[in-house]
Amino acid sequence: MTDELDTTVYYDDDANSEHITDKTVAVLGYGSQGHAHAQNLDESGVDVVVGLREDSASRDAARADGLRVATATEAAAQADVVSMLVPDTVQPTVYEQVEDELDAGDTLQFAHGFNVHYGQIEPPEEVDVTMIAPKSPGHLVRRNYENDEGTPGLLAVYRNASGEAKQEALAYAKALGCTRAGVVETTFREETETDLFGEQAVLCGGVTELIKMGYETLVDAGYSPEMAYFECLNEMKLIVDLMYEGGLSEMWDSVSYTAEYGGLTRGEMIVDESTRENMEQVLEEVQNGEFAREWITENRAGRPAYRQRRLAEKDHEIEEVGEQLRELFAWADDEQTESNATDDPEKATADD
């Protein structure tokens, strides 16, 4: 355990498996994260029951993996720990199905704090509320476990009614394989707000807009769509991999002096103080709940704006050019396999 970075990171030696191996865990959902949690817990000696709709196509897959399957209500009735791994958008509905099965001393667990933080789910006072969030797509959580490797994760305790919520959460994280790599302690608020901000301002929203604008700038200037695609999208993976492996310095040390000087002197012309001001606005809307209210309303209306924007994104020229180019190269199949996975239960399967 270390506090060097003003945070707390837990490892295998900090977790006592006895806090989870004598309990039954209901894993609700069997998508990206659900299948990994259920299988890893099961192989770590935890009694697992998977909660799925009676008409869910995932039931056969869970049974084929050697797991017990029941409805969400039935699974929660059997469980000491209920792990909510269905999409954020349907969690409140599923919670209504299991709420009456939560007894004093039970635990309601999440992999993302959205619904608790924004008041869409209000667990009973006598129930522990925790979060274990592997910071990786579910298929990698599973693969790392099978390879005796770890997946970094987050731990948060929203309510400690029993007095042992943190110890149980750590034991759960160990059973997933997360404490092999390290589990960072945080809060539901911090995890939710930083996650939403990162997705919107940088990882998903910011990066895709930067790529599209770069592509459009080159094409509008008369350069070929193929070259624009390679320079603004394809090579993004090379740069991100370097930053992932060793931070910004690793990337700067690996590119040419020309690229480094150009990036250091011209990058701030693109992402300037006006960008920071816009980011602060995005963060404010996350913090004050405006984004959450907007997204909840959008879902209740059947997601009309979401569908329109998604179609517009698919229709962008860069998507057509990229699809054609990827078919020409040998690495396309391998990268497509990796890109189909996600760490968000929302995009797991429709059968969650």
Side-chain angles (χ1 to χ4, degrees):
M1 187 167 60
T2 177
D3 297 312
E4 293 178 3
L5 295 177
D6 196 30
T7 190
T8 304
V9 182
Y10 297 97
Y11 300 98
D12 276 350
D13 289 344
D14 300 306
N16 184 348
S17 298
E18 293 180 0
H19 285 283
I20 197 70
T21 51
D22 63 344
K23 297 181 179 179
T24 297
V25 175
V27 174
L28 307 187
Y30 205 68
S32 176
Q33 288 291 331
H35 88 279
H37 284 233
Q39 291 181 53
N40 290 8
L41 288 166
D42 178 64
E43 292 181 17
S44 293
V46 179
D47 182 36
V48 175
V49 54
V50 178
L52 294 166
R53 300 190 317 269
E54 291 184 347
D55 61 347
S56 171
S58 296
R59 280 180 163 247
D60 289 341
R63 289 195 181 102
D65 291 327
L67 298 165
R68 290 189 294 127
V69 178
T71 66
T73 304
E74 293 167 344
Q78 303 173 40
D80 305 291
V81 178
V82 176
S83 192
M84 188 75 73
L85 296 175
V86 295
D88 285 342
T89 50
V90 300
Q91 279 187 16
T93 299
V94 174
Y95 176 71
E96 291 177 358
Q97 300 170 20
V98 304
E99 182 177 14
D100 290 343
E101 307 303 332
L102 294 171
D103 300 321
D106 285 351
T107 298
L108 183 62
Q109 186 168 270
F110 296 84
H112 181 39
F114 184 95
N115 282 300
V116 171
H117 179 56
Y118 292 116
Q120 298 305 294
I121 292 177
E122 298 181 2
E125 291 291 333
E126 66 274 14
V127 169
D128 288 346
V129 183
T130 61
M131 180 198 309
I132 292 295
K135 300 306 291 179
S136 176
H139 79 286
L140 289 180
V141 175
R142 179 62 182 151
R143 183 191 302 172
N144 288 341
Y145 180 91
E146 292 178 303
N147 292 337
D148 294 324
E149 298 172 352
T151 301
L154 302 178
L155 176 153
V157 175
Y158 181 81
R159 180 176 298 132
N160 183 22
S162 70
E164 297 185 350
K166 186 173 181 179
Q167 292 91 327
E168 182 186 83
L170 275 172
Y172 185 104
K174 184 174 183 177
L176 288 186
C178 290
T179 51
R180 297 173 184 173
V183 174
V184 178
E185 188 167 12
T186 183
T187 65
F188 271 62
R189 173 182 178 272
E190 184 175 60
E191 184 276 335
T192 301
E193 294 181 359
T194 57
D195 184 72
L196 292 176
F197 172 81
E199 292 167 350
Q200 295 169 24
V202 182
L203 303 176
C204 303
V207 166
T208 54
E209 289 303 312
L210 189 65
I211 288 172
K212 287 186 294 183
M213 285 192 180
Y215 174 89
E216 292 166 2
T217 300
L218 287 177
V219 172
D220 290 347
Y223 298 99
S224 71
E226 293 81 6
M227 287 302 299
Y229 176 87
F230 273 114
E231 293 301 330
C232 296
L233 191 153
N234 186 71
E235 292 195 26
M236 178 68 72
K237 174 173 169 38
L238 306 177
I239 298 302
V240 170
D241 283 350
L242 290 169
M243 292 191 291
Y244 177 83
E245 292 167 6
L248 301 182
S249 296
E250 175 78 7
M251 184 273 291
W252 292 126
D253 289 343
S254 300
V255 301
S256 70
Y257 287 117
T258 305
E260 182 176 8
Y261 179 76
L264 290 171
T265 59
R266 299 311 196 264
E268 60 190 22
M269 294 173 59
I270 306 302
V271 181
D272 58 13
E273 283 304 312
S274 65
T275 307
R276 186 190 302 275
E277 292 173 4
N278 290 335
M279 284 185 169
E280 290 172 350
Q281 178 64 34
V282 169
L283 179 58
E284 182 179 346
E285 291 179 4
V286 167
Q287 292 173 327
N288 64 23
E290 182 175 340
F291 170 78
R293 290 189 293 272
E294 177 184 322
W295 179 228
I296 292 166
T297 300
E298 176 72 10
N299 277 281
R300 288 174 178 168
R303 304 186 189 178
Y306 163 84
R307 297 182 192 280
Q308 183 178 10
R309 287 180 177 272
R310 202 161 192 263
L311 286 174
E313 191 81 348
K314 283 188 173 183
D315 288 340
H316 193 284
E317 181 183 288
I318 199 172
E319 291 290 82
E320 181 180 352
V321 172
E323 183 177 359
Q324 294 173 359
L325 285 174
R326 289 191 296 270
E327 291 177 353
L328 301 177
F329 296 95
W331 41 256
D333 289 342
D334 292 338
E335 293 198 352
Q336 183 65 28
T337 298
E338 294 296 322
S339 68
N340 282 340
T342 172
D343 62 351
D344 189 347
E346 177 72 18
K347 296 293 180 65
T349 70
D351 294 314
D352 280 353

